[in-house]
Amino acid sequence: MGGPEIERLIALLSKLPGLGPRSARRATLALLKQPQSRMVPLAQALQQAADHVKTCSECGNLDSSDPCVICGNPDRHAEQICVVETVGDLWALEKTGIFKGRYQVLGGSLSPLAGIGPEDLNIAPLIQRLEDQQVKEIILALGATVDGVTTMHWLYDQLLPWGVKITQVSQGIPMGGSLEVMDEGTLTAALTTRRSV
Amino acid sequence: MLEWSSPSIILSTRNYGETDGIVSLLSLDQGLYRGLVRAMGARKNTSIWQMGNFVAAEWSARLSDQLGHFKGELVRANFASISPFPFAYSILSSICSVAESSLIERQPVPDIARLLFKILTFLSLDPQEAEQKAMPQLLRWEVLLLAELGYGLDFSVCKEYGADRAYWVSPKTGKVVTEEMAGEWKPRLLRLPLLFIDETDEGNHQDWYDGLILTGYFLEKHVFYLKNKPLPNARRLLTEKINQLL
């Protein structure tokens, strides 16, 4: 089809999430059509990101500074820590702009099938922060999956001796959702975790 | 085209590719089956394919030696009602992981499946009070599982002597003996809680712990050792949880 450079580019792009060989070919073609305006800036941005982005030693977020902008921001409340599975989850919560506390990225969830055990989770910095800082509340914002729930119950047991308030994000009806089209699992979760009006 | 449809319990799921998944379920008529679920990660499907849920499952494949495909309709969302409660969730994880890793694939085990349906219904109806009702059921289910797999405990002596005395189990033979029969060997035997003999007895924390040690020993020795696997992590964690209550 093309030279080895093109084949290699397609092969590398097709390994990215959301891209298969066909979409990787389309992306490669789009890049090659305008190498100066698309390909070179992309290559430079990739190189810069690879050189400068690092994992925050406090929370596990990805940023070009360590500690990251969230941990380094004195206006963020140190007494609230929201525990999330991945950096993607942190970014999703940050987009809401509601949470003014700090985060802890676990880097995954407990999964016997995938061979992820407690020792693989980034929990040591959280324990350190519980010892050093005035943490009053830990918010567990983990997925409503088997792995997420297993991790939540395990973390709850681990954090209980510290005597801090441990909360969990609510589960149930999404915004704009109508009850009659909702699946039974979501409705059950919504009823189980109902709260006073 | 080979196909069947049957009420089933989802035992485990794992992602396959970006959106598909491989599901293990225990069917009432067909036993343990695995199959591919297309678009398992899609929003409308995620709440269906969760551990412990009851589904009306349909399996189909072109040839019998193929993995096959599942389609399913949610019948009871047990995962959503049980998962907020740590103890009930531990029981659910333990029972599903033991069933998934010990049963023989595609071999019908209707008694095992029926009792599992009953236990999970108990758990989902009243997850906060789960331990008192579901723990004795879980232990009896594990004894039934051992018997189904060909390693049943020998309770014949209990019929002879009745339920009003202490019994012990030989770790070597699985035979139940009375305290007098045990004699000097008692420290080497495993205690048999009364709940295994008397269906009305719900037991206490010590009974559940002893029961888990007893069935865990035989599951490990006869089932998991042969598969070169340890007892599932969830089963081990449940034993630890009960131990903490003592």
Side-chain angles (χ1 to χ4, degrees):
Chain A
M1 199 163 51
E5 297 86 358
I6 295 177
E7 289 298 328
R8 185 155 178 262
L9 187 56
I10 293 172
L12 288 172
L13 284 174
S14 67
K15 288 199 173 79
L16 297 174
L19 292 181
R22 186 189 287 263
S23 39
R25 271 202 302 275
R26 288 177 60 204
T28 305
L29 276 174
L31 290 170
L32 288 170
K33 268 184 190 167
Q34 292 165 302
Q36 287 308 315
S37 62
R38 284 183 176 172
M39 204 170 204
V40 173
L42 178 67
Q44 285 170 346
L46 286 171
Q47 188 60 54
Q48 279 178 350
D51 290 343
H52 296 107
V53 174
K54 49 199 139 203
T55 304
C56 173
S57 54
E58 278 194 36
C59 71
N61 187 16
L62 291 173
D63 203 340
S64 47
S65 58
D66 183 13
C68 68
V69 284
I70 297 172
C71 293
N73 185 348
D75 294 336
R76 306 286 298 225
H77 309 310
E79 63 265 27
Q80 270 188 333
I81 296 178
C82 180
V83 179
V84 293
E85 285 176 33
T86 63
V87 175
D89 297 338
L90 186 157
W91 290 352
L93 283 168
E94 268 304 278
K95 256 172 71 180
T96 65
I98 282 184
F99 183 62
K100 301 294 179 204
R102 297 189 179 176
Y103 292 93
Q104 179 63 49
V105 181
L106 293 178
S109 54
L110 295 178
S111 173
L113 282 175
I116 302 172
E119 63 284 353
D120 300 310
L121 299 184
N122 187 27
I123 191 175
L126 179 63
I127 302 296
Q128 192 65 48
R129 286 155 91 183
L130 281 168
E131 282 174 358
D132 298 347
Q133 299 170 10
Q134 297 294 310
V135 180
K136 289 184 181 153
E137 183 181 3
I138 302 276
I139 303 166
L140 302 176
L142 306 171
T145 60
V146 171
D147 295 346
V149 174
T150 306
T151 311
M152 186 190 72
H153 290 311
W154 178 79
L155 260 181
Y156 179 80
D157 286 343
Q158 300 299 309
L159 300 174
L160 208 55
W162 298 97
V164 290
K165 184 179 173 189
I166 304 168
T167 55
Q168 180 204 355
V169 287
S170 285
Q171 294 166 346
I173 317 290
M175 291 308 293
S178 157
L179 286 187
E180 63 177 336
V181 295
M182 217 51 64
D183 63 87
E184 293 89 332
T186 306
L187 285 173
T188 307
L191 274 171
T192 310
T193 57
R194 69 187 180 278
R195 61 183 164 85
S196 304
V197 179
Chain B
M1 194 77 170
L2 300 166
E3 49 194 6
W4 55 256
S5 58
S6 169
S8 307
I9 304 163
I10 297 170
L11 299 179
S12 78
T13 62
R14 63 188 162 96
N15 294 335
Y16 184 74
E18 279 187 38
T19 55
D20 299 340
I22 292 178
V23 171
S24 290
L25 52 77
L26 181 62
S27 149
L28 195 57
D29 312 320
Q30 307 290 333
L32 176 71
Y33 254 77
R34 288 191 173 87
L36 185 83
V37 175
R38 293 250 183 251
M40 190 180 79
R43 190 175 286 183
K44 64 172 184 166
N45 286 337
T46 47
S47 73
I48 301 175
W49 304 101
Q50 295 290 349
M51 177 178 71
N53 281 356
F54 295 167
V55 287
E58 287 176 28
W59 178 87
S60 61
R62 210 161 48 78
L63 300 167
S64 65
D65 56 0
Q66 289 178 328
L67 178 66
H69 290 82
F70 277 129
K71 281 181 188 165
E73 199 172 305
L74 188 62
V75 174
R76 193 183 184 90
N78 292 329
F79 180 77
S81 52
I82 293 171
S83 62
F85 304 96
F87 202 93
Y89 183 72
S90 282
I91 296 175
L92 171 73
S93 311
S94 171
I95 208 161
C96 286
S97 58
V98 168
E100 203 243 345
S101 45
S102 62
L103 287 170
I104 299 161
E105 270 193 73
R106 303 189 180 190
Q107 186 172 300
V109 278
D111 293 340
I112 296 279
R114 214 169 287 125
L115 188 52
L116 196 51
F117 268 100
K118 193 175 157 189
I119 296 170
L120 296 188
T121 308
F122 263 134
L123 275 180
S124 67
L125 284 177
D126 195 0
Q128 272 171 308
E129 301 296 325
E131 48 186 81
Q132 208 61 39
K133 285 260 190 294
M135 269 312 293
Q137 298 277 13
L138 173 137
L139 291 166
R140 289 179 198 126
W141 179 83
E142 287 191 344
V143 166
L144 183 67
L145 176 73
L146 280 166
E148 194 72 50
L149 295 170
Y151 307 107
L153 304 181
D154 181 358
F155 288 101
S156 55
V157 74
C158 305
K159 284 181 189 149
E160 197 177 324
Y161 288 89
D164 56 344
R165 57 172 67 213
Y167 288 103
W168 301 81
V169 183
S170 160
K172 205 167 182 180
T173 61
K175 197 172 166 62
V176 179
V177 293
T178 61
E179 195 150 15
E180 298 78 54
M181 289 171 178
E184 61 178 298
W185 297 98
K186 208 172 97 177
R188 294 191 186 186
L189 305 184
L190 299 159
R191 183 178 162 254
L192 181 81
L194 181 64
L195 61 92
F196 285 111
I197 311 161
D198 182 0
E199 289 277 315
T200 57
D201 186 63
E202 289 181 343
N204 53 28
H205 293 159
Q206 185 65 52
D207 291 335
W208 300 340
Y209 181 73
D210 289 343
L212 285 170
I213 295 294
L214 173 74
T215 52
Y217 175 83
F218 287 104
L219 282 170
E220 206 161 20
K221 180 184 173 189
H222 293 308
V223 182
F224 291 99
Y225 178 76
L226 296 177
K227 290 174 183 264
N228 205 17
K229 285 196 277 192
L231 264 181
N233 216 19
R235 172 64 166 69
R236 202 176 46 73
L237 288 174
L238 178 65
T239 313
E240 277 175 24
K241 234 181 176 81
I242 301 278
N243 192 22
Q244 284 166 4
L245 298 174
L246 297 178

